[in-house]
Amino acid sequence: MIVAATMARTSAAEYKIRYEFIRRLLALRGAKPVRLVNTKDLSTPPLKFEFINQYIYREGVHQPDPGTVEGCVSCRENMGAACGCEYTKLCECLEYAEVNVSKLTEGERVKLDKITRQGGSTLGLPKRFPYSREQGILVTAYLDSRYPIYECNERCICGPICKTRMVQHGRQVGLEIFKTATRGWGLRCTEGLRRGQFIDVYHGEIVTKEVANGRLEAAGKGKESYLFQLDKFDQVLEGRGALYEVDGEYFGGPTRFINHSCEPNCRQYVVSYNKNDPYLYDIAFFAIRDIPPFEELTFDYLDYDGAADEDGAKEEAADSIPCRCGAEQCRKWLWK
Ligand SMILES: C[S@@+](CC[C@H](N)C(=O)[O-])C[C@H]1O[C@@H](n2cnc3c(N)ncnc32)[C@H](O)[C@@H]1O
């Protein structure tokens, strides 16, 4: 009798928590729903977590400055006809995108050599366009490199059908937060994904490095799995100014539930809407191979997309967590 009463109370409490978590899930913006699925037990992810649709800027972080945003002015609203942003020599938003050396004329090659030696802008040279024009997926050159993706912005002349706007339109796929057998909660997509398809961005609180370090120290083991450093442009900054980190532990989106795999099917990429701001940008997840519906989404927690020394990022931490990704080439530890 006592056992039955306890169970009844427990499931009523769990039901309340589940109800509240699902209510919070409904606040998420996106073209399709994000569901919660648990076929393993009665638990629900903890309610210390809130879903958000944009970054929360904490103390000491400079908010994005609209005054520094420049739009493209040479492209045209109707696209195509050699005047859209995909004609990459024109688009000012692609100023810092990777030069497409395979498309350089002899004169442009000479110009690039001079810029490489003396510095200067590569504006006017052909750039690599990030998205395939027909299918709206990230092209192989970007999938395989760590080159930042520059999207057009609200100041641009090109308008909403511009093909350099994808991540800014938000998540287009349905997702499920589900209970795994061995690694807590995980994330999967309810539809098949193509290699290069955009999934969602990583949201959270933007905090200074000092605050992030303080939170790490206070939390101890495991905390760093929720922290993403925004240090992609560290080399450009040459040590000037403070770098920020995104903490997705208490505030974030569904991607905060993506587990690590040593042989992942997704990867994170830097997406900027303001080429003049090296501090704030989006971290966007794309499929790096075709993924069937309901296969768990994973990325490599040590696939470090920053400017710092890679070996430094891979140093063995004393508090490493054993990896349970199950991959044939598993490195056995999460942080090693
Ligand atoms: C960003 S969270 C992922 C969501 C998490 N599973 C949850 O339930 O909230 C990272 C944490 O998930 C767990 N995790 C993720 N990938 C793992 C793996 N391959 N092996 C073991 N634990 C993993 C670890 O506890 C890690 O600190």
Side-chain angles (χ1 to χ4, degrees), residues 80-95:
C83 61
C85 301
E86 69 269 34
Y87 296 90
T88 63
K89 287 186 186 186
L90 283 181
C91 184
E92 289 88 352
C93 291
L94 296 177
E95 178 173 2

Side-chain angles (χ1 to χ4, degrees), residues 5-256:
T6 312
M7 277 175 66
R9 270 207 307 276
T10 308
S11 46
E14 284 294 351
Y15 176 80
K16 265 190 165 171
I17 295 171
R18 172 100 30 125
Y19 180 86
E20 173 57 17
F21 189 87
I22 291 168
R23 193 191 65 75
R24 292 182 189 185
L25 258 182
L26 295 176
L28 275 176
R29 283 201 292 266
K32 295 189 183 150
V34 179
R35 298 195 295 240
L36 179 74
V37 174
N38 187 352
T39 55
K40 303 281 181 226
D41 54 37
L42 288 172
S43 67
T44 299
L47 290 181
K48 63 179 186 189
F49 176 74
E50 288 264 2
F51 286 101
I52 53 171
N53 290 297
Q54 57 199 31
Y55 285 147
I56 297 174
Y57 300 98
R58 293 300 187 205
E59 213 179 314
V61 175
H62 298 286
Q63 304 242 349
D65 178 0
T68 66
V69 180
E70 276 179 85
C72 55
V73 292
S74 305
C75 311
R76 293 288 177 272
E77 202 172 332
N78 53 353
M79 300 290 115
C83 61
C85 301
E86 69 269 34
Y87 296 90
T88 63
K89 287 186 186 186
L90 283 181
C91 184
E92 289 88 352
C93 291
L94 296 177
E95 178 173 2
Y96 301 125
E98 189 179 11
V99 174
N100 189 347
V101 285
S102 69
K103 291 213 169 145
L104 290 177
T105 62
E106 201 38 52
E108 288 168 339
R109 211 171 278 278
V110 172
K111 187 177 170 188
L112 180 62
D113 282 347
K114 197 171 163 201
I115 293 167
T116 312
R117 276 183 276 110
Q118 300 175 1
S121 171
T122 57
L123 198 62
L125 295 179
K127 300 294 163 59
R128 283 201 184 277
F129 195 69
Y131 304 127
S132 92
R133 289 160 214 192
E134 302 77 30
Q135 299 162 298
I137 54 174
L138 193 63
V139 297
T140 299
Y142 277 85
L143 276 174
D144 292 347
S145 74
R146 305 324 296 251
Y147 224 87
I149 299 161
Y150 292 94
E151 291 203 354
C152 283
N153 59 61
E154 70 280 3
R155 292 261 168 100
C156 292
I157 204 161
C158 53
I161 63 163
C162 163
K163 294 190 172 67
T164 341
R165 298 175 188 270
M166 176 143 63
V167 170
Q168 63 190 265
H169 293 315
R171 178 177 53 81
Q172 303 295 315
V173 295
L175 295 173
E176 269 184 11
I177 297 164
F178 74 105
K179 189 74 182 273
T180 69
T182 53
R183 291 149 299 119
W185 298 90
L187 192 71
R188 62 193 176 195
C189 190
T190 53
E191 59 202 86
L193 294 166
R194 286 164 301 152
R195 175 176 147 87
Q197 196 168 342
F198 167 59
I199 300 164
D200 203 352
V201 293
Y202 191 83
H203 276 142
E205 298 169 86
I206 305 285
V207 296
T208 60
K209 214 167 179 47
E210 293 70 46
V211 170
N213 288 343
R215 288 184 180 192
L216 256 177
E217 239 167 69
K221 201 170 171 172
K223 168 76 182 177
E224 60 191 286
S225 53
Y226 296 98
L227 285 167
F228 264 102
Q229 296 181 14
L230 297 181
D231 60 355
K232 179 70 180 171
F233 302 104
D234 197 20
Q235 274 167 1
V236 179
L237 288 165
E238 293 172 338
R240 276 174 289 125
L243 293 173
Y244 304 138
E245 299 200 18
V246 189
D247 186 356
E249 183 165 14
Y250 302 111
F251 296 89
T255 55
R256 172 259 193 223

Side-chain angles (χ1 to χ4, degrees), residues 275-286:
K275 63 178 181 177
N276 299 321
D277 185 348
Y279 298 102
L280 292 168
Y281 48 81
D282 271 346
I283 294 161
F285 288 94
F286 287 81

